[in-house]
Amino acid sequence: MSDFAIEVNALRKSFGGRAALDGLDLRVPAGSIFGFLGRNGAGKTTTIKVLMGMLRADGGAARVFGLDAGDPAQSVEARRRIGFVTEDKELYPYMTVEQIIRFTRPFFPKWRDDLERRYLKMFDLPPKKKIDILSKGMRSKLMLLIAVCHSAELLILDEPTDGLDPAAVEDVLRELVAIAGSQGTTIFFSSHQLNEVEQIADNICIVDKGRAVVAGVLDDLKARYQRFHVVLESELAAPVRWVDGVEHVRQEGRTVSILASGNAEGIVRQIESLPGASVERFPVGLKEIFLEKVRSDENALV
Amino acid sequence: MLWYKAWLETRWRMLLPAGMIFFALFTGHQSKGRLHFGPGSMLGVVGLFWLTAPLTLAGSGLRTEAPFQAVKGLHGSTYFTLSLPVSRLRLFASRTALGILETAGILVAVCGIAVAVFPELRGLATAADGFRYMATLLLCSLGYFGFSTLLSTFVDQQWQVLIAVGTIFLSLWLGVSGRLPRSLDMFAAMGPASPLINHAMPWGAVALSVGAGIVFLLAALRVVQARQY
């Protein structure tokens, strides 16, 4: 059996000639909490739809538990093991909370009644209320309940905390960590909330323009990425050919800001070779990595 | 459980066609002796209203599961449905089968009430003719049911019903204007040429409707299976 719950290789998908996925590669280790990040339109939801069998890729391969997501029969098998929260949190408006749980339960033989009771209480979901009068936040909670209670091996969550108040966000994040820890469930979630991702994810992938631009274990990435603030004696007369590891350089007058993804010692040596340079190192957070990777910067030198 | 979902989704839709047919029957009953058309024409009117049943109860296109959602570029609860571990064939088949069953249910109720309201119908025809009449109504509705189902793969629910109603009037016009052979005219088959009047099945119209219904349903299934959401 593969060590990866999700494997995506060179995935391509276009809509009307515009590439939504442009050779995306992705590996989601089994049992991990995997944050899938990107700007609006970067290809996150398209990737999720391909994984769920709702969209067919134009090229490449997408596998969930080794099953081909593009094959209808294999996709049904995969979906038995997936709990899914959709981006728009739309459920059947004509059903009550109780009815949609009763409807969903038979599709999943390993339904957990104990978890159902627990989350109904914890999320304060009214069983007799119709879904069409629930807020988006309440629908998010209901979708999470459904996704979690069927003992899914993989949770695919598209913006799971969208519409939740801060207290509910904390509750949900804590539960996700508990589920991953206690049941070994793989959690693959997309989010714009970088602080949430940083709080619970152990692996991340940043996608931009349909390609993975950064991927890996979050702690490793944070250890690898550093920012160097350099103050020079005078402005650089000519462009510098930076050593390996320099990801991004921005210069304003005598000040140079360098984002590096490795080779810190080599970079320091190069900086120290510049006339009158003083350098300071700073750790880099996920937000900074994300912004540097997805934002186009006219002042960038690398 | 897909049946349960389909039932909750469509049960209120049964009221529209049932109400229209009961209205037609009630009006006919109140106007007894004052109408200038015979039972054949009355049956034709009932047949016209009857066809609203398959139109409103068809819908397995999965384009959207909430009215007006597609107009806004949304899919309603379709994504949740597609995330269930169920093939699209099964989703389509359960919804279609329930739509046909609900249509048949309305038919039985309407025919039972019609016989009670119009005692003269009992003199017009035998019980066998009555069953043939019900079979004719159901089979003649299949073509419209299939067409409405196919429409539901492309357009939102409100447009589906509107376009399908337009198709009913088009086929009515084709029959009335003589552009369609009488043997293939659905409204003749459900009215003046129905088993209640002619004591025989209108096989031409029935075959056309069933054939068209199968073709439309298969086409709708192909669309549902191939469609990307």
Side-chain angles (χ1 to χ4, degrees), chain B residues 143-154:
Chain B
Y144 296 96
F145 185 91
F147 181 67
S148 190
T149 302
L150 181 60
L151 279 176
S152 75
T153 65
F154 295 109

Side-chain angles (χ1 to χ4, degrees), chain A residues 37-298:
Chain A
L37 307 169
R39 303 171 75 169
N40 289 333
K44 302 187 299 296
T45 298
T46 302
T47 306
I48 288 173
K49 285 183 182 175
V50 171
L51 292 171
M52 293 299 295
M54 295 169 187
L55 287 176
R56 271 188 307 280
D58 298 335
R63 293 189 165 272
V64 180
F65 302 119
L67 297 162
D68 182 359
D71 178 272
Q74 292 189 45
S75 175
V76 171
E77 274 310 304
R79 292 202 299 272
R80 262 186 241 292
R81 301 160 70 181
I82 298 174
F84 182 49
V85 172
T86 63
E87 184 184 22
D88 52 14
K89 317 293 182 291
E90 291 282 356
L91 291 161
Y92 309 130
Y94 45 84
M95 286 191 189
T96 63
V97 169
E98 198 172 48
Q99 282 173 329
I100 199 158
I101 291 173
R102 199 187 313 150
F103 164 74
T104 313
R105 185 201 306 244
F107 292 105
F108 303 101
K110 293 183 194 164
W111 187 269
R112 295 268 307 268
D113 289 325
D114 57 329
L115 286 181
E116 178 192 320
R117 283 192 296 274
R118 176 183 154 90
Y119 288 125
L120 275 174
K121 192 174 172 195
M122 182 177 144
F123 291 151
D124 205 17
L125 287 164
K128 304 284 181 199
K129 282 263 169 68
K130 276 240 174 123
I131 287 166
D132 64 350
I133 60 164
L134 296 182
S135 66
K136 190 173 185 184
M138 292 297 266
R139 293 200 311 271
S140 294
K141 291 175 182 176
L142 181 53
M143 281 199 123
L144 274 168
L145 179 150
I146 291 168
V148 169
C149 287
H150 71 72
S151 308
E153 294 166 57
L154 167 65
L155 295 180
I156 296 182
L157 314 174
D158 201 351
E159 304 280 349
T161 57
D162 192 20
L164 297 180
D165 62 67
V169 169
E170 283 303 311
D171 287 345
V172 166
L173 296 180
R174 197 174 52 241
E175 283 305 312
L176 290 177
V177 173
I179 289 161
S182 63
Q183 299 170 36
T185 307
T186 308
I187 297 174
F188 177 76
F189 74 109
S190 75
S191 180
H192 290 297
Q193 304 301 320
L194 297 175
N195 57 330
E196 292 174 11
V197 176
E198 205 157 12
Q199 190 178 336
I200 67 165
D202 45 39
N203 283 258
I204 64 142
C205 174
I206 298 174
V207 61
D208 190 44
K209 299 187 178 92
R211 300 178 74 93
V213 289
V214 174
V217 177
L218 182 56
D219 287 342
D220 292 350
L221 290 172
K222 283 160 79 175
R224 254 175 50 210
Y225 275 81
Q226 294 182 55
R227 181 166 291 287
F228 297 88
H229 276 290
V230 183
V231 180
L232 302 165
E233 204 173 60
S234 58
E235 272 190 52
L236 292 168
V240 176
R241 186 182 169 83
W242 293 99
V243 295
D244 286 348
V246 172
E247 290 280 323
H248 197 266
V249 178
R250 196 180 302 140
Q251 183 178 355
E252 283 178 25
R254 294 190 299 120
T255 307
V256 180
S257 178
I258 299 169
L259 180 74
S261 62
N263 190 23
E265 299 315 314
I267 294 168
V268 169
R269 276 197 299 277
Q270 185 178 23
I271 292 169
E272 285 173 348
S273 71
L274 298 171
S278 65
V279 60
E280 275 186 285
R281 282 197 221 187
F282 297 94
V284 172
L286 178 59
K287 183 178 177 182
E288 203 168 351
I289 299 171
F290 177 84
L291 290 175
E292 289 292 354
K293 284 292 178 185
V294 304
R295 158 171 92 179
S296 60
D297 189 343
E298 289 170 5

Side-chain angles (χ1 to χ4, degrees), chain A residues 1-16:
Chain A
M1 191 180 138
S2 170
D3 293 335
F4 299 104
I6 295 172
E7 285 177 277
V8 168
N9 295 308
L11 201 63
R12 283 195 306 281
K13 179 73 191 171
S14 295
F15 298 103

Side-chain angles (χ1 to χ4, degrees), chain B residues 5-89:
Chain B
K5 168 186 175 291
W7 168 247
L8 291 181
E9 201 171 273
T10 54
R11 57 187 171 167
W12 299 114
R13 289 188 208 166
M14 295 171 74
L15 291 179
L16 174 71
M20 287 179 73
I21 302 162
F22 289 139
F23 175 76
L25 287 173
F26 178 75
T27 308
H29 180 256
Q30 295 298 99
S31 313
K32 261 190 283 191
R34 287 182 281 120
L35 292 177
H36 298 293
F37 51 83
S41 301
M42 184 65 209
L43 290 174
V45 172
V46 169
L48 179 63
F49 285 132
W50 151 250
L51 287 180
T52 56
L55 299 190
T56 48
L57 295 170
S60 325
L62 282 173
R63 174 183 160 78
T64 171
E65 292 190 336
F68 300 102
Q69 291 290 310
V71 177
K72 292 189 285 186
L74 302 171
H75 287 271
S77 50
T78 305
Y79 293 133
F80 179 73
T81 303
L82 292 171
S83 76
L84 297 170
V86 176
S87 69
R88 292 187 186 184
L89 170 64

